[in-house]
Amino acid sequence: MNHEDYMQTALDLAEKGMGYTSPNPMVGAVIVKNGEIIGKGYHRKYGELHAERNAFADCHEDCSGADLYVTLEPCCHHGKTPPCTDIIIQKNIKRVFIGSSDPNPKVAGKGVSILREHGIEVIEGVLKDKCDRLNEIFFHYITTKKPFVTMKYAMTMDGKIACRTGKSKWITAETARQYVQYERLRHSAIMVGVGTVIADNPLLTCRLENGRNPVRIICDTNLRTPLDSEIVKTARDIPTIIAVCSDDTEKISQYENYGCRVMTVRESGGHTDLNDLMDKLGADGIDSILIEGGGELNYSALRSGIVNKVQAYIAPKVFGGRDAKTAVCGLGVECPDEAFVLEHTAIRRIGDDFLIESWVK
């Protein structure tokens, strides 16, 4: 195995913490001596040991002179756990291979400097692109204090997200729908508009075994969410935020009695101001949001500039229909030069369907 192979092993380990480390990053670590892996670990859950310390706990040999591969720059400050730089130095590690630099101001190069000051060779940037992508949510949130927003939708090859009757179950096959559950696990919250709640009455839960449900956010300017909807009925069990522009205290109290949290935000163009909402959600510690709404919310999100990534699941089907709904509605742009431009596009096959993933430029 070479340096990239060991780092890939650390990446695979890191991803096991998906959905449980927030607001911390996902991190994996591998200890190698004489060409053999003698210890490995990952950050399992927020508040628990970091990847490096779990790797050393897994190692039952003398680590002196060994190499450490870690997907993110080791921390050097006291938080929920002691600094990882301390134990790396104590274990007499010879070389540390790092994937990503940590943009957290409490670290930001200080971890590397401390290791080098203690005579440890540090090699940075091993599989950097993959390591950076793994923690794009953490990097965005730690530097902006706003949630990383992914806009997701499923559509046919002619761009329809529902038939002309409004029926949409199901566009994609089971394999793709199962993949979406991992995205719900990856993100802290899931957001839809009130129109989706009225039309589909969804639960918006993570249906993975032992999965963690995301916080549910409903954009509902005038408080039209039905009190008998599945979301309201389960609000005591699953954190639910209804973002409104209403000051009707009597109506608001009805939702609060069911366990919903009603968050008042500014109004913009007759709708909830999504930028104001992102500021408030970020201040509450929500680091990522998966938008699974309809075309109107998708357009509003793009127009407001809150979207970081777009995921389009495409099924090999054609619905047709001039009145059938499309993924992004709203007014739309007036000319091609005004398009919302995407970049770094990746395409993968998921069962019979395809996922096209792009980042907003």
Side-chain angles (χ1 to χ4, degrees), residues 97-306:
F97 295 83
I98 295 172
S100 297
S101 300
D102 192 340
N104 186 343
K106 294 180 179 179
V107 186
K110 300 183 186 74
V112 170
S113 296
I114 289 171
L115 294 176
R116 285 174 172 158
E117 287 168 5
H118 284 80
I120 298 172
E121 183 181 356
V122 180
I123 297 90
E124 300 180 75
V126 181
L127 294 187
K128 176 177 169 55
D129 288 346
K130 285 188 174 182
C131 292
D132 287 353
R133 190 68 73 201
L134 174 74
N135 281 309
E136 60 185 358
I137 288 173
F138 171 74
F139 291 166
H140 177 82
Y141 182 71
I142 200 71
T143 55
T144 68
K145 300 303 179 185
K146 295 183 180 182
F148 182 95
V149 177
T150 301
M151 188 177 83
K152 167 263 169 187
Y153 51 84
M155 67 181 188
T156 59
M157 287 186 69
D158 58 335
K160 308 298 184 182
I161 62 170
C163 300
R164 59 180 176 81
T165 59
K167 294 181 179 180
S168 60
K169 293 183 179 179
W170 295 105
I171 292 175
T172 53
E174 176 61 29
T175 303
R177 298 200 301 272
Q178 182 73 2
Y179 189 87
V180 171
Q181 299 305 312
Y182 287 97
E183 290 300 321
R184 289 185 177 185
L185 178 64
R186 185 186 301 273
H187 291 75
S188 296
I190 182 170
M191 186 167 79
V192 300
V194 64
T196 296
V197 177
I198 293 171
D200 299 337
N201 194 22
L203 261 176
L204 303 180
T205 54
C206 177
R207 295 189 290 274
L208 296 173
E209 187 177 356
N210 300 319
R212 172 200 50 80
N213 287 320
V215 176
R216 301 176 301 188
I217 303 166
I218 315 302
C219 293
D220 185 3
T221 307
N222 300 306
L223 264 181
R224 296 189 297 126
T225 299
L227 288 171
D228 62 351
S229 64
E230 291 296 332
I231 283 176
V232 173
K233 289 192 297 185
T234 57
R236 293 196 185 280
D237 300 317
I238 305 168
T240 302
I241 297 172
I242 303 179
V244 305
C245 300
S246 172
D247 57 1
D248 188 335
T249 54
E250 184 177 341
K251 201 171 183 180
I252 288 172
S253 67
Q254 290 182 294
Y255 292 92
E256 291 176 336
N257 289 337
Y258 276 95
C260 298
R261 178 185 175 191
V262 179
M263 180 180 287
T264 303
V265 299
R266 291 195 303 262
E267 184 176 316
S268 176
H271 300 285
T272 51
D273 186 318
L274 293 179
N275 281 292
D276 187 38
L277 178 58
M278 292 304 109
D279 288 340
K280 287 180 166 62
L281 293 173
D284 272 5
I286 292 178
D287 64 2
S288 53
I289 296 172
L290 181 65
I291 297 180
E292 288 197 34
E296 297 297 333
L297 179 59
N298 287 345
Y299 178 69
S300 295
L302 285 168
R303 187 182 59 184
S304 66
I306 68 168

Side-chain angles (χ1 to χ4, degrees), residues 46-66:
Y46 175 67
E48 296 185 0
L49 291 178
H50 288 185
E52 298 93 324
R53 289 183 177 272
N54 277 328
F56 285 120
D58 179 63
C59 180
H60 302 292
E61 300 183 29
D62 181 9
C63 294
S64 298

Side-chain angles (χ1 to χ4, degrees), residues 61-100:
E61 300 183 29
D62 181 9
C63 294
S64 298
D67 293 334
L68 173 68
Y69 293 80
V70 60
T71 55
L72 183 68
E73 178 182 0
C75 68
C76 54
H77 62 286
H78 284 271
K80 296 280 185 181
T81 60
C84 290
T85 49
D86 286 359
I87 194 168
I88 294 171
I89 294 165
Q90 292 166 10
K91 293 292 186 178
N92 294 316
I93 292 295
K94 181 180 180 181
R95 297 186 299 181
V96 176
F97 295 83
I98 295 172
S100 297

